[in-house]
Amino acid sequence: MRVMKFGGSSLANWQRFSKIAEIIAVAAEKEQVACVLSAPATVTNTLIETVELAIKGHNFELLLTNIEQIFIRLHSQAAEEKISDTQLSILNSELIAHLSDWRQKLAGVKLLNECPDSVQAQIISSGEKLSANLLEQILIAKGITSSQLDPQELFLAHGAPLEAVVDINLSKPKFKTISLNNNRVWVMPGFSAADSEGKIVTLGRNGSDYSATVLAACINASSCDIWTDVDGVYNTDPRVVPDAKLLTQLSYQEAMELSYFGAKVLHPKTIAPIAQYHIPCYIRNSFNPDSLGTLVSNDTDTTGLNVKAISNLDEQCMFDVSGPGMKGMVGMASRMLGAISQTGVSVSLITQSSSEYSMSFCVATLSAAKVKAALEQEFELELKSELLEAIKVRKNLAIVSLIGDGMRTRKGVAAQFFKALAQASVNIIAIAQGSSERSISTVIEQSKTKNAISACHQSFFDVQHYLDVFLVGCGNVGTGLLEQINKQAQMLKAQNITVRVCGIANSTKMLLNAEGIELSKWPLLLNESQQISNIPEILNWICDQQLLNPVLVDCTSSSKIAEQYVDVLEAGLHVVTPNKKANTRDLAYYQQLRQVALKQKRQFLYETTVGAGLPVIDNLKKLLCAGDKLLQFNGILSGSLSYIFGMLDEGMRLSQATSIAREKCFTEPDPRDDLSGMDVARKVLILAREVGLTLELDDVDIESVLPEGFDSSGSIDEFMENLTQVDEAFMQRISRAKANNKLLRYVGQINQGKCSVNIVEVDSSDPLYSVKGGENALAFYSQYYQPIPFVLRGYGAGTDVTAAGTFSDLLRTLNWTRELDS
Ligand code: ADP
Ligand code: ASP
Ligand code: MG
């Protein structure tokens, strides 16, 4: 005989009941079947809520009506398609009987303001009975002989009435009294049993899985199939990690550890009965019966990694029993565990430091009060005499465990596990590894579970490295960057780098999507978005999503955004930007940024702030690290002014050259930023600070391209119009230089600890003489590079090179891992 268990998710509506009846009918053609059923989805939860309301003296009628409606709907749909009127009236009268029984019991509970466990067990286990009634009638209507097995007659259990354990040895003989051959299919309600006094008990939440394997053990079934709503057991909860991998085979021990440490797909007690009797168990999907599922048996799949899976057990709290009286005191552990066992609560993890000063253990938060009271009673004297400190209970914790038979033979698993947690900024509160070495468990804050699981999954099972990009500023460079990311995505993926753009914001709106925004549609999606652009909100959202490697890319030229980098770094993001504003604010902020980045182990990268895509900052840093010292710097640092001054060489007027440069996107959005010299001054200051000069922007001596007294106020268009007024003066200045075989160049300089920006006349022997057309040239005279300077030359402006430089900074953040140091 084959046991088949169907969980609440497989019984949510009539279509699901009908589907599982088909699955059973197909199986029953080959072999006799015993089905174990849960209550339809939501029913048990609702029954538990009715009890809670009644205890508080509140009205529970509405909830009972909800349950009634679920079954009335199921019955009438069954009547429409399959079952006869007589069958329908049997089902409805049983439903009415249950409703009246619930009402009576709940009225008593409401009156007493308490509910004995045995009464609670009777109420909450009856959803499964109603499921079994319906399936039995459907099968009969299909012409399959079937009747029910009563778990309260057949399963003898002991232990806490709501967490009972079935005694298989005592239950097994009871099946001998039934002629199992009489029916092709047997149906049994899951979740319940009876104790030695015949009182109904339940087997713990989610306990129908356990009912099924107990039944399989009692009737010595050929196999036990657990049908659920996923294709089998995954290497982690597929709801937490969408690309979790399906496991085809697990050993009993692995499955036991997984279920024990929280994999909801199997109730923790499920595996023991079938492991004892070596019955194979298949976890399968009732929504996708063609999938083969996961086989749990004596064997494991040894082809893959030694680490099989990661699980999480939520809503835990940790007790810490410590004090001078603990040291060397024989029997403390036994007294502590003895007191806990009296409460019937199961301990999920225990650790003790070798100094024997303290022992810690975890239990489900729901049971914390009970356990605390029991311990305080057990250790009353020790607590009074201060041999023990007051018992500490830490709440809102989760246990994250790594599981796999093969971990025994592999070194470095724990190191890799803890490193992954550190990189996800998850603090480990306690650690436990059994000597079976089949699992390693860590206790962490529950709010960090998703982060922890994703980081571990990525470290052990995923070859891809992720970059989660948040782009602020959708001007030329921002848009260009998005295009480049989109174009390169496949190529990078082949190199195991996945770039997900999870946020895009302009000055008014923003768009967020943790799975990554579809880049071919971003302008449309951003336009349709209702969210107002706001950096603190983005940071909160990132924290909620628990993203692993978020990077803020600031493609604005806004001071307001630059002022928020400290918060952004504090929130755990890298910052990548072509925006010069942060690095040219006051020195205190400049230094704070670096300190925070260092502390947070996050990168602040701004290669494109000087020389656009040219590798200026990185090379300069490397030279300084290698011990070089800057003596002097001369450079054409503005692509726009290089372009404009090159055009002036050829006789063009200043206003016309500026207008063409603007059209070609060589200038800043407002060309006054270039012509005022401010943009070059910022770049010189960034370089100067890079070599250690403690200067402010005001310390840079700037000669503006615009003559003194020129009125540069008004809108950009007004300014462009007024610019013609200086054309004549410029023409004359150029003619004078030409008369001496010289050209005008706009040069930024660092010399003897001072920074300046000037219009300089250069002759043909100067390396800057031939630099024009938007090119930048940077000449570094240093201890190692003199008298011939180290020169970097190439396009220093333009959307493509700046976006590409930003992209390359973005990829550099991948090499950085983050660890927690406080
Ligand atoms: P049923 O109603 O069939 O008993 P459950 O909801 O109790 O179903 O269990 C199935 C759910 O368990 C899945 O939908 C999945 O979200 C969750 N789950 C948690 N961990 C795992 C895992 N490692 N593999 C598969 N599912 C898991
Ligand atoms: N219906 C019970 C519960 O929800 C048992 C089960 O479905 O496994 O806990
Ligand atoms: Mg379940």
Side-chain angles (χ1 to χ4, degrees):
M1 181 143 18
R2 185 178 198 108
V3 172
M4 301 173 88
K5 179 259 169 179
F6 296 90
S9 54
S10 302
L11 305 168
N13 52 42
W14 164 245
Q15 281 73 25
R16 303 304 318 147
F17 264 92
S18 179
K19 181 78 204 169
I20 68 152
E22 267 171 45
I23 294 174
I24 295 164
V26 171
E29 279 173 19
K30 296 191 197 123
E31 204 176 351
Q32 263 188 297
V33 173
C35 304
V36 174
L37 292 199
S38 287
T42 74
V43 168
T44 314
N45 283 350
T46 315
L47 284 170
I48 292 173
E49 273 177 64
T50 62
V51 176
E52 284 165 357
L53 285 180
I55 291 175
K56 289 184 195 143
H58 296 166
N59 193 338
F60 45 78
E61 264 309 318
L62 185 66
L63 294 183
L64 286 188
T65 313
N66 290 347
I67 298 175
E68 184 181 9
Q69 288 307 317
I70 290 174
F71 285 101
I72 286 183
R73 217 173 301 130
L74 281 169
H75 295 171
S76 51
Q77 282 176 310
E80 268 172 39
E81 291 186 34
K82 288 230 160 65
I83 63 172
S84 66
D85 287 350
T86 330
Q87 289 179 301
L88 177 65
S89 68
I90 296 174
L91 288 175
N92 281 343
S93 55
E94 287 189 37
L95 173 61
I96 290 166
H98 269 94
L99 280 162
S100 111
D101 184 52
W102 290 331
R103 276 200 184 94
Q104 258 182 3
K105 291 197 168 83
L106 288 168
V109 171
K110 194 174 168 188
L111 217 62
L112 296 170
N113 291 121
E114 64 178 353
C115 183
D117 286 349
S118 59
V119 176
Q120 173 151 353
Q122 285 172 37
I123 297 173
I124 68 174
S125 64
S126 36
E128 335 313 268
K129 174 70 183 152
L130 291 170
S131 279
N133 290 349
L134 176 56
L135 180 67
E136 184 190 0
Q137 296 304 333
I138 298 171
L139 292 172
I140 292 171
K142 270 179 168 282
I144 300 170
T145 54
S146 94
S147 58
Q148 289 193 37
L149 295 169
D150 183 353
Q152 288 141 29
E153 292 276 323
L154 295 164
F155 287 167
L156 182 71
H158 52 74
L162 299 176
E163 282 286 343
V165 179
V166 180
D167 187 325
I168 294 174
N169 289 335
L170 293 180
S171 305
K172 220 172 177 181
K174 298 189 177 210
F175 285 84
K176 299 265 174 356
T177 62
I178 302 169
S179 311
L180 285 174
N181 284 334
N182 284 356
N183 285 306
R184 193 66 192 156
V185 177
W186 290 92
V187 182
M188 183 194 245
F191 192 34
S192 64
D195 65 12
S196 54
E197 291 169 24
K199 284 191 188 150
I200 298 179
V201 293
T202 52
L203 307 176
R205 288 308 312 272
N206 226 353
S208 300
D209 300 334
Y210 175 50
S211 304
T213 54
V214 168
L215 178 61
C218 287
I219 61 173
N220 209 7
S222 59
S223 72
C224 177
D225 303 350
I226 310 250
W227 291 81
T228 182
D229 61 349
V230 283
D231 277 349
V233 180
Y234 284 78
N235 62 359
T236 194
D237 188 341
R239 271 177 308 194
V240 179
V241 178
D243 55 352
K245 296 181 180 45
L246 184 66
L247 300 169
T248 51
Q249 205 171 3
L250 283 172
S251 71
Y252 291 122
Q253 286 77 7
E254 286 173 327
M256 224 173 308
E257 300 272 345
L258 247 176
S259 60
Y260 182 73
F261 283 119
K264 193 189 169 211
V265 67
L266 291 173
H267 178 270
K269 291 189 287 228
T270 309
I271 301 299
I274 46 170
Q276 191 185 348
Y277 292 90
H278 305 287
I279 298 168
C281 173
Y282 295 87
I283 322 300
R284 301 190 59 182
N285 190 351
S286 71
F287 293 74
N288 180 20
D290 294 336
S291 149
L292 294 178
T294 303
L295 167 63
V296 181
S297 67
N298 281 320
D299 306 316
T300 184
D301 171 11
T302 50
T303 51
L305 280 162
N306 301 325
V307 174
K308 269 288 179 59
I310 305 156
S311 67
N312 59 300
L313 192 58
D314 291 343
E315 279 155 40
Q316 296 288 303
C317 64
M318 193 157 101
F319 279 70
D320 186 23
V321 181
S322 60
M326 296 285 289
K327 184 137 185 74
M329 196 192 276
V330 178
M332 279 302 275
S334 128
R335 280 176 63 197
M336 189 177 89
L337 296 175
I340 303 167
S341 93
Q342 289 298 316
T343 62
V345 173
S346 104
V347 175
S348 31
L349 173 148
I350 307 180
T351 66
Q352 183 190 1
S353 64
S354 64
S355 72
E356 298 182 38
Y357 180 76
S358 87
M359 281 182 81
S360 309
F361 64 91
C362 291
V363 297
T365 306
L366 263 181
S367 316
K370 224 196 277 184
V371 171
K372 188 156 186 261
L375 289 176
E376 281 169 352
Q377 197 184 343
E378 174 68 34
F379 295 112
E380 197 181 355
L381 288 178
E382 286 85 351
L383 286 165
K384 260 194 192 140
S385 59
E386 293 181 6
L387 279 171
L388 283 187
E389 289 160 16
I391 292 166
K392 295 183 223 44
V393 187
R394 190 162 170 179
K395 293 202 170 141
N396 302 322
L397 303 179
I399 300 175
V400 171
S401 308
L402 213 57
I403 289 146
D405 279 350
M407 282 171 20
R408 261 170 301 170
T409 51
R410 194 174 145 195
K411 298 182 192 76
V413 177
Q416 192 179 347
F417 184 21
F418 301 155
K419 186 165 182 220
L421 292 176
Q423 282 167 11
S425 188
V426 175
N427 185 30
I428 300 174
I429 297 163
I431 302 165
Q433 180 185 323
S435 59
S436 75
E437 295 183 50
R438 196 166 274 123
S439 67
I440 305 174
S441 298
T442 54
V443 182
I444 63 164
E445 302 232 358
Q446 170 142 350
S447 59
K448 291 282 190 174
T449 313
K450 192 172 173 215
N451 231 2
I453 301 255
S454 310
C456 294
H457 191 266
Q458 195 194 317
S459 170
F460 284 98
F461 301 105
D462 199 345
V463 284
Q464 289 287 317
H465 293 89
Y466 293 92
L467 272 179
D468 299 321
V469 179
F470 292 81
L471 175 80
V472 194
C474 308
N476 292 328
V477 176
T479 305
L481 177 63
L482 290 176
E483 267 168 32
Q484 290 180 5
I485 293 176
N486 198 18
K487 203 168 117 216
Q488 293 304 101
Q490 283 313 317
M491 186 271 230
L492 287 171
K493 201 152 197 165
Q495 295 182 38
N496 296 338
I497 298 169
T498 298
V499 185
R500 288 183 294 223
V501 178
C502 300
I504 301 177
N506 60 22
S507 56
T508 52
K509 289 179 168 192
M510 66 184 186
L511 181 65
L512 300 172
N513 181 342
E515 256 104 67
I517 295 162
E518 210 179 309
L519 287 185
S520 54
K521 291 194 191 144
W522 76 262
L524 186 79
L525 296 172
L526 181 63
N527 198 29
E528 283 171 357
S529 171
Q530 301 298 321
Q531 275 179 291
I532 311 281
S533 190
N534 180 310
I535 298 264
E537 234 170 75
I538 296 182
L539 300 183
N540 285 338
W541 183 85
I542 291 172
C543 183
D544 288 345
Q545 298 298 318
Q546 304 193 9
L547 295 173
L548 278 184
N549 199 16
V551 188
L552 180 90
V553 182
D554 172 16
C555 288
T556 70
S557 54
S558 151
S559 308
K560 237 178 110 193
I561 305 283
E563 273 164 21
Q564 299 178 70
Y565 291 172
V566 164
D567 298 338
V568 174
L569 290 164
E570 295 268 20
L573 282 79
H574 298 288
V575 174
V576 167
T577 187
N579 180 356
K580 293 175 273 292
K581 297 288 162 53
N583 271 342
T584 53
R585 268 192 59 163
D586 54 294
L587 255 174
Y589 184 72
Y590 180 88
Q591 278 151 358
Q592 190 191 5
L593 267 178
R594 277 143 186 86
Q595 281 155 8
V596 175
L598 205 63
K599 183 168 146 264
Q600 293 290 330
K601 295 201 166 61
R602 299 280 83 178
Q603 287 266 71
F604 170 43
L605 296 174
Y606 44 87
E607 182 59 86
T608 45
T609 53
V610 182
L614 295 177
V616 178
I617 307 279
D618 195 36
N619 276 308
L620 186 56
K621 274 189 174 150
K622 281 181 187 152
L623 275 179
L624 297 174
C625 283
D628 203 357
K629 291 215 163 48
L630 186 79
L631 302 176
Q632 195 195 327
F633 166 79
N634 290 347
I636 293 184
L637 291 168
S638 161
S640 36
L641 293 178
S642 150
Y643 184 83
I644 291 168
F645 276 75
M647 300 298 257
L648 299 182
D649 294 349
E650 283 154 37
M652 196 178 276
R653 290 171 172 272
L654 179 67
S655 58
Q656 196 186 355
T658 308
S659 162
I660 295 173
R662 195 172 159 231
E663 275 161 29
K664 289 190 182 268
C665 299
F666 274 9
T667 64
E668 294 289 308
D670 185 338
R672 280 169 287 199
D673 289 343
D674 299 295
L675 296 174
S676 68
M678 193 44 95
D679 180 58
V680 176
R682 286 186 193 276
K683 290 173 179 166
V684 177
L685 181 66
I686 292 171
L687 289 177
R689 285 178 166 182
E690 211 60 58
V691 300
L693 296 177
T694 50
L695 298 173
E696 297 286 357
L697 195 53
D698 283 349
D699 298 326
V700 184
D701 189 9
I702 310 170
E703 180 192 357
S704 166
V705 177
L706 303 166
E708 238 172 84
F710 175 75
D711 176 13
S712 59
S713 61
S715 68
I716 298 178
D717 288 338
E718 282 162 350
F719 164 75
M720 289 302 288
E721 219 159 274
N722 291 342
L723 194 59
T724 49
Q725 294 165 16
V726 299
D727 283 347
E728 194 48 46
F730 245 89
M731 294 291 262
Q732 285 172 17
R733 193 164 170 186
I734 289 164
S735 305
R736 280 200 299 275
K738 276 200 172 156
N740 295 324
N741 290 328
K742 289 184 175 174
L743 295 174
L744 295 190
R745 290 290 175 258
Y746 198 61
V747 181
Q749 283 180 311
I750 305 174
N751 200 357
Q752 296 186 342
K754 296 222 159 26
C755 295
S756 60
V757 178
N758 299 93
I759 301 172
V760 178
E761 289 186 9
V762 292
D763 63 27
S764 57
S765 67
D766 194 301
L768 305 183
Y769 184 85
S770 60
V771 178
K772 54 185 182 177
E775 258 195 299
N776 276 194
L778 297 93
F780 296 93
Y781 298 84
S782 71
Q783 253 172 19
Y784 297 164
Y785 287 94
Q786 60 162 329
I788 301 175
F790 165 58
V791 179
L792 279 164
R793 185 173 163 177
Y795 277 121
T799 303
D800 288 345
V801 284
T802 312
T806 311
F807 199 176
S808 122
D809 268 356
L810 188 60
L811 294 172
R812 281 169 61 198
T813 63
L814 272 176
N815 300 332
W816 277 71
T817 54
R818 183 173 191 226
E819 286 171 27
L820 202 82
D821 49 17
S822 61

